[in-house]
Amino acid sequence: MITAPGDVLLEPLSNRELRLLGEAGIALFAGRLILDAQPPIDEATLAAVAERCAGAS
């Protein structure tokens, strides 16, 4: 990996590098390192969780 002053990446990470980081639970977002990262939740799953948590109507 090539870095510049201030630890700025000069090149985007490859798909392989992103996959390996994801498998390790690591993500880069807005210049920050996130540990124990989880993949984003899709709309269908979010709706199912919201419906289940809504309780009796």
Side-chain angles (χ1 to χ4, degrees):
M1 179 182 329
I2 301 170
T3 59
D7 295 327
V8 175
L9 291 174
L10 294 177
E11 300 174 10
L13 296 174
S14 69
N15 287 335
R16 179 178 183 275
E17 291 168 325
L18 291 171
R19 182 180 51 79
L20 290 171
L21 287 173
E23 289 173 2
I26 299 171
L28 300 173
F29 180 75
R32 292 180 168 82
L33 179 66
I34 301 170
L35 304 176
D36 296 325
Q38 300 294 314
I41 191 167
D42 60 75
E43 289 298 321
T45 303
L46 183 59
V49 170
E51 182 178 330
R52 185 170 184 123
C53 293
S57 350

